[in-house]
Amino acid sequence: MKEQLESIQTEALEKIASAAELRELQDIKVAYLGKKGSLTTVLRGMGKLSKEERPVVGEIANQVREAITEALNQKTGKLEQEAMDKQLESEAIDVTLPGRPVNVGGPHLLTSILQEIEDLFIGMGFEVREGPEVETDYFNFEALNLPKNHPARDMQDTFYLTNELLLRTHTSPVQARTMQEYGGNRAVKMICPGKVYRRDTDDATHSHQFTQVEGLYVDKDVRMSDLKGVLDKFAKKMFGEDREIRLRPSFFPFTEPSVEMDISCKVCGGDGCSVCKQSGWIEILGGGMVHPKVLEMAGYDPKVYSGFAFGMGPERIAMLKYGISDIRQFYTNDIRFLKQFHHA
Ligand code: DAH
C-alpha cells in the first residue's frame, strides 16, 4: 500500500508539473483528492490493515495529500500570476506616446466677415433680409431702372436660365422686393447679405459666384449726408478708427446721384503704394441716392420718400482687411488658408 501511495504521489506531482492551465489543475485535484479520487480510494482500503500498519500508512497518506495539495496550490499560484502578467502586458498603455491631434473646426472667413458686417448694421438699426438666388429679369434689372436692352446690363454678365429667369447678378433686387412688400407708406431700413452670380472667368479678382451685402434706407427726408455718415461709421468700425473715407461720382442706373466709396490706404497712410495703386485710396463699395423711378416702381412716391442704397463685396473687404491676394482662396477650401482665421 505504501508503494501504491508513493506512486500516486509521483504520478500526481508529475501531472501537476506539466499542467499548463488552471482547468487541468482542477481536474487533477478531483482525480486524486476528490471523493472518487485515487488517494481517497486507497485510504478506504485502510480498514483491511493491521492495527500497527494503520498509523504508519495513515501518516504516509497524509504526507501524500499534503504534498499534492501543496503542489496544486503552488502551481495554481504560478499559473494565476502568469495569466495576470499576460493580461497586464496585453492591456498596457504607453502613456509616453504623443496623443493624436484633434482637429477643431471653426467658421469660414467669409461667414465671420458677413457676421461682422451684419452685427455692425444691426447696431445701426438695419434689419437683415433675404431674397431668392434664382431671380426674375424684372427684379434683377427692370425694377432697378435697367429696362431690356439697356446698355448698362452689359456691366453684369448674366447666367440666364430662361428669357425671364436668371441667377441674380447682385443683391439689389432685394431692394425692390422689400419696398414692394412694405407697401409704399413706411420706412425701410434693411441690409441683405447673399450669394450672387456672374458669367466671369475665375481669376485672382473674379469669381463666377461671390457674395454681396446690399443696404437700403428709405424714409421721408433721407439725404446723401445720411449715406456718408453710415458708411463712415462702417468703414471705421471695419478697418480702424484712423481710416478716412471719400465719395467719388460714379454711375449706377438705380441711383442718382451715384457714388463709389474709397477708404484711405492703411499701408502707406495716403502717400501712395502698390496696394492703393499709388493713389492713397482704395475702392470699397458703390452706392447713391435711390433713383426716383426705382422708388416709384416699388410703390413709393418720390416726392414724399427718398432713400440711399449701397452694395459691397465681403470678399473684397476681407481681402483688404487681411491682405489676401486671390479671391479663389474663399472657395477652394485649402485648410491651411482657412485655419488662419479660426480664433478659438
Ligand atoms: N449692385 C451693384 C453691383 O453689383 C452695387 C451697388 C451699387 C448696389 C450702388 C447699390 C448701389 O445698392 O446703390 O455692382
Side-chain angles (χ1 to χ4, degrees):
M1 210 168 197
K2 197 177 150 197
E3 290 83 54
Q4 224 180 337
L5 285 170
E6 275 164 0
S7 79
I8 285 176
Q9 175 168 348
T10 320
E11 192 186 295
L13 292 185
E14 264 170 22
K15 280 192 182 163
I16 292 168
S18 65
E21 279 182 54
L22 287 164
R23 200 164 28 82
E24 284 176 56
L25 292 178
Q26 190 58 34
D27 292 346
I28 294 167
K29 189 173 178 181
V30 173
Y32 289 92
L33 308 178
K35 269 188 204 157
K36 290 176 189 165
S38 33
L39 183 63
T40 322
T41 313
V42 172
L43 290 177
R44 279 215 191 100
M46 288 225 329
K48 292 182 195 135
L49 296 175
S50 66
K51 249 187 177 174
E52 296 76 37
E53 278 176 318
R54 237 181 263 163
V56 182
V57 174
E59 201 184 323
I60 297 171
N62 275 339
Q63 281 167 4
V64 170
R65 175 191 296 279
E66 263 169 40
I68 294 175
T69 308
E70 173 66 18
L72 278 171
N73 286 346
Q74 268 189 19
K75 188 70 187 244
T76 303
K78 191 173 167 233
L79 288 185
E80 277 174 356
Q81 185 63 45
E82 274 172 18
M84 174 76 89
D85 287 349
K86 231 185 184 165
Q87 193 183 358
L88 282 176
E89 200 180 327
S90 73
E91 290 176 2
I93 296 168
D94 183 351
V95 292
T96 65
L97 276 178
R100 295 200 184 97
V102 177
N103 275 319
V104 180
H108 192 281
L109 170 58
L110 204 45
T111 307
S112 310
I113 281 282
L114 283 167
Q115 189 71 55
E116 199 178 334
I117 296 171
E118 283 179 29
D119 286 351
L120 236 151
F121 282 102
I122 288 169
M124 290 193 272
F126 288 75
E127 65 166 318
V128 178
R129 311 250 330 164
E130 282 184 356
E133 288 171 32
V134 172
E135 188 52 283
T136 59
D137 183 275
Y138 176 77
F139 279 117
N140 196 79
F141 291 128
E142 284 188 46
L144 296 168
N145 198 27
L146 273 151
K148 286 210 158 64
N149 302 317
H150 192 291
R153 284 196 179 199
D154 285 352
M155 289 164 76
Q156 304 181 354
D157 277 336
T158 310
F159 287 117
Y160 278 93
L161 302 173
T162 67
N163 271 344
E164 292 304 321
L165 278 182
L166 45 80
L167 295 179
R168 68 177 178 195
T169 56
H170 50 180
T171 43
S172 303
V174 185
Q175 288 187 30
R177 284 182 174 277
T178 309
M179 283 191 280
Q180 218 176 62
E181 194 184 313
Y182 271 55
N185 52 15
R186 58 191 170 115
V188 179
K189 200 174 182 189
M190 68 92 185
I191 59 162
C192 168
K195 292 196 186 92
V196 300
Y197 303 82
R198 301 259 174 112
R199 266 189 62 180
D200 275 328
T201 305
D202 293 0
D203 62 23
T205 53
H206 294 86
S207 174
H208 62 282
Q209 182 261 297
F210 56 101
T211 62
Q212 282 192 339
V213 177
E214 193 77 14
L216 175 70
Y217 178 29
V218 174
D219 204 345
K220 292 171 181 159
D221 210 21
V222 174
R223 304 166 193 206
M224 188 82 157
S225 52
D226 295 317
L227 173 63
K228 196 172 177 189
V230 165
L231 294 183
D232 188 51
K233 258 268 145 350
F234 164 74
K236 291 196 157 81
K237 285 242 171 90
M238 186 56 93
F239 294 103
E241 290 297 326
D242 54 341
R243 307 303 278 275
E244 298 294 328
I245 67 159
R246 76 174 183 188
L247 301 180
R248 278 182 294 107
S250 185
F251 172 77
F252 300 102
F254 29 92
T255 43
E256 182 57 39
S258 300
V259 296
E260 264 168 324
M261 182 181 95
D262 298 339
I263 55 163
S264 56
C265 181
K266 193 177 186 167
V267 178
C268 61
D271 295 340
C273 66
S274 63
V275 173
C276 59
K277 295 182 190 134
Q278 309 306 328
S279 72
W281 296 93
I282 298 167
E283 188 195 318
I284 292 287
L285 52 78
M289 301 308 290
V290 182
H291 197 290
K293 270 197 183 160
V294 172
L295 288 170
E296 206 172 310
M297 277 187 278
Y300 279 78
D301 182 352
K303 289 189 207 77
V304 181
Y305 283 92
S306 57
F308 70 67
F310 58 85
M312 66 179 86
E315 286 89 343
R316 182 169 167 77
I317 286 166
M319 285 165 87
L320 290 169
K321 195 167 160 142
Y322 297 111
I324 299 158
S325 55
D326 194 323
I327 194 172
R328 289 167 294 194
Q329 293 277 26
F330 290 96
Y331 298 106
T332 43
N333 289 331
D334 183 335
I335 202 80
R336 293 165 304 179
F337 169 77
L338 298 174
K339 257 187 169 167
Q340 298 175 56
F341 306 99
H342 291 172
H343 311 292

